[in-house]
Amino acid sequence: MEDSIKTKVVKVDPENIDYNIIKEAADIINKGGTVVFPTETVYGLGADALNENAVDKIFEAKGRPQDNPLIVHIAEVEEMYDLIREVPENAKILAERFWPGPLTMILYKKEILSDKITAGLNTAAIRLPVNKIARALIMESKKPIAAPSANISGKPSPTEASHVTEDLMGKVDMIIDGGSTYIGLESTVVDMTSSTPMILRPGGITGEDIAGVLGECAYDPAIIKSGEKTIPKSPGQKYRHYSPKAKVILYKGDMVNAAEKINEDYDKFTSQGLNTGIMSTAQTEKFYGNKTTICMGDRTKMLTISSNLFRCLRDFDHMGIDIILSEAVDEKGLGKAILNRLGKAAGEVIEV
Ligand code: TXA
Ligand code: MG
């Protein structure tokens, strides 16, 4: 391994941004380097989207397969027109309504975006984040910034700077610590190249939100029936993802029945000598007595669960857990995105 880059880690308060640090970070971007920055979803590993050499460094640092395209981040809506061939009316409406925010749109790209970024596709993924540090960095560097989640490929996306240092120390030029991210799951990816918008990856902006504005919104069948032989339209969705070191089993169905089955399996695995942990919710914690649990949050507050999910998976790894027994959540609103990530993390799903 050639882990020889010196990584500078700096703290920035999103409510009181130190522009000297932003200038230094923008300088690194403009010289073809890599900067990790916070967004409202997860931390991103950024480089100049118009510099192929810099983009290469992203793939290298993450160990990311070359056939998985990157999201290009912009700071103002107008910047989209430099990168996209034709912006359909529907996309303009979504941009107006949901940008800045956790929405990524797939649109036909201009030549200026290289095949490296789009993995040879004729479309590109564009996003305008709301996080102030992210926007300040894009504005200051005056470049569109390519940024996947700042984790080693396959691991849960980072929602705190400590997750980034764990994965990327010595592999990037700078890490900006802007505190915990807000939503905790990656942006919604929506394909705008056909007349009906289609969600390829569920996230903070839901299908209901989009249908509320455009009248309709479809879901790529592959995100619902994971494991079946449907080929996802978003290349990233075909990979096993969000995997902690521990094996994850997901228990779907009625909350009380799930807790009962989880208790049973916990005892079974523990007696086999496996370090077992339960990913619970505020409503079910009482069922597990003094077993090892981490609570994802209150079932009636999906945003709490989404913001905690990836941290919980990483925390189990830090505890040396071999097997995680996780509850599911209702598939409503943000619950769809939470279930999508849990489903991808899980090696096995049990319907109770
Ligand atoms: O919230 C987020 O979106 C974060 C922050 C950093 O902005 N970024 C992120 O990037 O999650 P990444 O690379 O981890 O996920 C990008 C997803 C992948 O599933 C990729 O396959 C898909 O977007 N994607 C990118 N370009 C695409 C394209 N042209 N067509 C279809 N899917 C595309
Ligand atoms: Mg990712």
Side-chain angles (χ1 to χ4, degrees), residues 51-325:
N51 177 339
E52 285 200 30
N53 231 335
V55 171
D56 273 340
K57 291 182 188 168
I58 293 178
F59 284 93
E60 204 172 302
K62 273 184 70 90
R64 182 178 178 106
Q66 294 284 344
D67 67 349
N68 193 2
L70 305 178
I71 296 176
V72 179
H73 296 69
I74 55 177
E76 299 292 347
V77 175
E78 302 75 61
E79 291 162 19
M80 161 165 69
Y81 296 89
D82 301 336
L83 310 170
I84 295 306
R85 235 185 316 133
E86 58 204 75
V87 181
E89 205 50 43
N90 274 354
K92 288 181 195 165
I93 295 170
L94 290 191
E96 169 123 341
R97 175 67 184 78
F98 298 114
W99 279 356
L103 180 75
T104 297
M105 290 198 273
I106 307 297
L107 296 157
Y108 290 112
K109 69 158 191 155
K110 280 189 174 164
E111 287 295 307
I112 188 171
L113 290 176
S114 77
D115 281 347
K116 284 237 161 81
I117 289 207
T118 63
L121 298 171
N122 59 356
T123 55
I126 311 286
R127 159 157 142 78
L128 201 169
V130 71
N131 181 287
K132 290 175 184 162
I133 297 171
R135 277 183 89 187
L137 175 62
I138 303 165
M139 275 182 202
E140 184 63 34
S141 63
K142 300 190 176 64
K143 293 277 164 53
I145 294 185
S149 49
N151 50 285
I152 295 289
S153 259
K155 290 232 299 181
S157 296
T159 57
E160 292 171 14
S162 65
H163 302 161
V164 179
T165 52
E166 191 172 279
D167 282 13
L168 296 177
M169 207 60 186
K171 298 184 168 162
V172 294
D173 295 303
M174 187 186 250
I175 296 171
I176 301 178
D177 177 353
S180 294
T181 61
Y182 174 65
I183 298 171
L185 301 178
E186 307 83 349
S187 62
T188 303
V189 176
V190 61
D191 183 355
M192 300 303 293
T193 60
S194 50
S195 56
T196 304
M198 184 187 272
I199 292 187
L200 309 184
R201 179 178 74 181
I205 305 294
T206 64
E208 292 92 320
D209 292 334
I210 292 174
V213 179
L214 298 181
E216 56 178 352
C217 183
Y219 283 92
D220 181 355
I223 59 181
I224 301 162
K225 296 185 180 152
S226 63
E228 292 195 13
K229 285 198 182 77
T230 33
I231 297 168
K233 292 195 181 357
S234 183
Q237 292 282 309
K238 72 173 181 269
Y239 295 104
R240 181 131 184 273
H241 247 142
Y242 317 116
S243 314
K245 291 189 204 98
K247 178 183 170 182
V248 180
I249 304 178
L250 178 62
Y251 296 76
K252 282 188 171 173
D254 173 76
M255 172 182 96
V256 178
N257 292 343
E260 202 170 298
K261 178 77 174 126
I262 287 174
N263 263 321
E264 226 172 80
D265 286 355
Y266 185 101
D267 292 338
K268 182 181 83 187
F269 290 125
T270 308
S271 71
Q272 291 169 4
L274 292 167
N275 261 330
T276 311
I278 298 170
M279 212 143 77
S280 65
T281 51
Q283 282 76 3
T284 56
E285 260 193 304
K286 57 177 181 276
F287 298 131
Y288 300 120
N290 55 8
K291 294 188 163 95
T292 304
T293 65
I294 297 182
C295 179
M296 295 186 275
D298 187 323
R299 285 175 171 271
T300 63
K301 298 187 182 111
M302 287 293 186
L303 187 57
T304 314
I305 296 187
S306 74
S307 70
N308 286 334
L309 179 64
F310 289 149
R311 181 184 50 75
C312 292
L313 291 174
R314 282 185 186 252
D315 284 351
F316 275 122
D317 274 350
H318 299 149
M319 290 160 66
I321 293 292
D322 303 310
I323 184 157
I324 301 169
L325 315 182

